[in-house]
Amino acid sequence: MNHSLQRLRDILWSRPGWFILAFIIGLATLGRFWSLGLADPLTDEPSYLFRSLGYFDFLASPYQTTPLEWSSERAWWTWLSFHDHPPFHFLLQFLLFKITGVSLVAGRILPALAGVGTVVIIFDLLRRLSDLRVAVIGGLLLAVNAHMLWISRIGLQESLVLFLVFLSLWLTHQLIRRRRAYLWVGAVMGLAIMTKLTAIIIVPLTLLFWFIVHRDEWRWSKVLSVLLVAGAFFLPQAVYNLAMYNQYHHFDFQFSYYFQQASPWLSRPGRAEFASQGLAARYFLPNLRSVISPVAVLLFMVSLFLAVWLLWRHKLNDQSRIVYYLLIATCMTSLWLLFIGPSWRFLSLLLPWLLMIVAFILARITKVKFLSGLVCLILIWEILFSWNTIFSLDWPGKRQWTYSAAKAHEYPYGYNQLEKALQIFYDGKRPAIVLPVASPVINQFVQQRAVQMKGEAVARVLIYDPRLYGEPLMWSLTRRL
């Protein structure tokens, strides 16, 4: 019996074993797609999905108007981007709705696929840069981590950003020696920035990976070519901002804030959360602690210490460059979070780097026989922690000890039940009366959509409690009016 178990372990660790990757993909897919519509649409998710329905920049809010509401005719440049975010995520989601139909689950397929893709890419990257043992541990930790699951199960941009960041590293590793093929790195960098501006950190992260891990292939001509390709993808966003400045004398929602320009956007809830770098620094560690398990906290602390110590003592040999890069990438991302604010969604940008460092350290520890079961115990704990956070309808134990603070955004409060009730009244029907909207551009869009709708014409008045949370109502009510 012991001989059979030893042989099985040797097979798992010593052979490439596609079934190992298949198991990790299956685990990552199960965690990201099972009951994908369980949680209510909270945070900014409904506003992103709402605007993706028609690729139309409108929030139905007097506190954050858009350029479509500022004039009687739609300007040509408003097709290039959105007032608060670049267009790539909205465009992909718009196309996905066209293919799959409109539903909350359809709105979460893109981040779920990106989450699985991130696990696969990091697994293969670790396998190529180190060995299968590191790749398996890293892939398993990423597959079951509660916060990585959470960000992959809601319709925010961060899951896609992470996928593009690590795809950029993978392409750098694979294509940097091939003539012209390396320009795909620039394309991925550009798409990441066109997904969300916070993804601009992909540029120093990718170039640093290139310089440290593939220094022999570092050529300034290549670097400039990659940056030019990335800049070409950013061109629509640049034109959008220049045209907005030319017409309204300020840039978009994000750039007008950083350049301290006068603009119509007086309400900036996301900015108010961390109004200064001092406030961001104060809440960085508490926020990080709130979304990971106590085991993960201990792992991160021990792994970071051991990684630095092993580098200092020259114990990592041929793996020193990649561990050195991971430590610098962790520091760079942490500093970036202090700048943009360590909110839960942004902390997902940091966790993969920490988990990869943990994978390197655990891979060395598990070479000692009596410690090899440690990885299994850690995985079991992380799976239970993720289950309590993502899938359990109870609130077992104590927050931060048995479930993550992100559970508050991964819980069915009843808005999905409201959505199901409204489907009975509205699915297969169209409005018999379409009230005019004050904005000519918005009104034209609404009237055109009403004409395109099919089904029985009905006229209904909805009365609802104003205490209901506005974000999920945008998805359930506003999109139907």
Side-chain angles (χ1 to χ4, degrees), residues 227-371:
L227 293 178
L228 283 174
V229 172
F233 276 82
F234 186 72
L235 191 60
Q237 185 72 10
V239 172
Y240 178 91
N241 273 277
L242 290 173
M244 180 181 285
Y245 185 85
N246 180 62
Q247 188 165 343
Y248 298 109
H249 308 294
H250 62 78
F251 294 131
D252 67 13
F253 187 85
Q254 307 293 347
F255 284 111
S256 64
Y257 172 81
Y258 289 117
F259 286 100
Q260 297 295 301
Q261 296 172 328
S263 71
W265 302 299
L266 301 178
S267 174
R268 300 176 184 267
R271 300 299 179 191
E273 185 181 3
F274 302 104
S276 67
Q277 269 62 59
L279 201 61
R282 177 183 175 185
Y283 284 100
F284 178 81
L285 290 178
N287 278 13
L288 178 61
R289 170 66 187 91
S290 71
V291 297
I292 57 177
S293 72
V295 171
V297 172
L298 182 61
L299 278 176
F300 292 161
M301 293 172 60
V302 172
S303 297
L304 287 171
F305 171 79
L306 289 178
V308 173
W309 183 79
L310 289 171
L311 278 176
W312 181 265
R313 301 289 294 178
H314 303 288
K315 299 285 186 178
L316 292 173
N317 301 324
D318 57 332
Q319 295 185 349
S320 60
R321 284 193 299 175
I322 182 60
V323 174
Y324 180 59
Y325 168 74
L326 291 176
L327 287 171
I328 295 179
T330 300
C331 294
M332 288 177 60
T333 308
S334 299
L335 292 173
W336 182 238
L337 291 178
L338 292 179
F339 178 71
I340 64 177
S343 61
W344 290 347
R345 68 180 70 179
F346 294 149
L347 286 170
S348 63
L349 302 176
L350 176 63
L351 288 180
W353 306 108
L354 291 170
L355 292 171
M356 291 165 76
I357 293 172
V358 170
F360 271 91
I361 299 303
L362 287 182
R364 292 182 66 89
I365 291 175
T366 53
K367 290 179 181 179
V368 181
K369 288 186 177 181
F370 70 91
L371 290 176

Side-chain angles (χ1 to χ4, degrees), residues 17 55 61 90 110 120 187 295 311 331 339 343 364 375 433 449 452 458 472:
Y55 191 75
S61 170
F90 294 104
L110 178 61
V120 174
V295 171
L311 278 176
C331 294
F339 178 71
S343 61
R364 292 182 66 89
V375 174
I433 302 172
R449 296 278 290 188
Q452 295 170 0
V458 296

Side-chain angles (χ1 to χ4, degrees), residues 422-480:
L422 291 173
Q423 286 176 355
I424 299 174
F425 289 99
Y426 283 99
D427 281 10
K429 299 177 177 64
R430 60 183 176 86
I433 302 172
V434 182
L435 299 176
V437 182
S439 167
V441 176
I442 307 299
N443 185 63
Q444 181 183 12
F445 177 80
V446 171
Q447 299 294 335
Q448 288 176 349
R449 296 278 290 188
V451 171
Q452 295 170 0
M453 294 178 69
K454 298 178 181 180
E456 177 189 357
V458 296
R460 290 193 173 107
V461 176
L462 283 175
I463 301 174
Y464 63 93
D465 192 325
R467 291 174 298 177
L468 291 172
Y469 185 36
E471 292 288 351
L473 291 186
M474 179 180 290
W475 175 251
S476 296
L477 293 183
T478 309
R479 71 181 172 93
R480 290 187 163 97

Side-chain angles (χ1 to χ4, degrees), residues 9 40 44 71 104 142 156 165 168 170 176 183 204 214 225 245 249 267 347 357 367-368 390 430 471:
R9 196 179 78 167
D40 286 335
D44 289 333
S71 62
L104 182 60
L142 283 159
L156 301 179
V165 166
S168 176
W170 187 86
I176 204 65
L183 294 177
H214 296 285
S225 299
Y245 185 85
H249 308 294
S267 174
L347 286 170
I357 293 172
K367 290 179 181 179
V368 181
I390 305 296
R430 60 183 176 86
E471 292 288 351

Side-chain angles (χ1 to χ4, degrees), residues 51 54-58 66-83 87 240 247-248 439-442 444-445 448:
R51 289 184 284 172
Y55 191 75
F56 197 73
D57 191 14
F58 176 59
T66 73
L68 302 185
E69 301 172 74
W70 301 344
S71 62
S72 58
E73 295 184 0
R74 182 168 188 176
W76 60 270
W77 50 269
T78 59
W79 293 96
L80 298 177
S81 187
F82 286 68
H83 79 284
Y240 178 91
Q247 188 165 343
Y248 298 109
S439 167
V441 176
I442 307 299
Q444 181 183 12
F445 177 80
Q448 288 176 349

Side-chain angles (χ1 to χ4, degrees), residues 192-210:
I193 299 170
M194 287 298 283
T195 299
K196 194 162 187 174
L197 292 176
T198 53
I200 197 170
I201 194 173
I202 192 177
V203 177
L205 286 174
T206 302
L207 295 183
L208 187 68
F209 177 80
W210 186 350

Side-chain angles (χ1 to χ4, degrees), residues 23 25 54 70 82 101 145 200 215 220 274 341 344 383 411 428 481:
F23 174 77
I25 293 175
W70 301 344
F82 286 68
N145 179 266
I200 197 170
R215 190 175 304 178
W220 281 110
F274 302 104
W344 290 347
I383 290 172
Y411 192 80
L481 301 180

Side-chain angles (χ1 to χ4, degrees), residues 151-189:
I151 204 64
S152 302
R153 291 172 56 87
I154 56 175
L156 301 179
Q157 301 106 319
E158 276 66 30
S159 184
L160 181 59
V161 167
L162 279 171
F163 171 76
L164 293 171
V165 166
F166 287 99
L167 179 60
S168 176
L169 300 186
W170 187 86
L171 289 174
T172 300
H173 184 67
Q174 292 295 99
L175 304 179
I176 204 65
R177 290 180 173 85
R178 300 184 188 180
R179 184 181 181 185
R180 295 184 181 178
Y182 64 87
L183 294 177
W184 283 105
V185 176
V188 172
M189 288 166 59

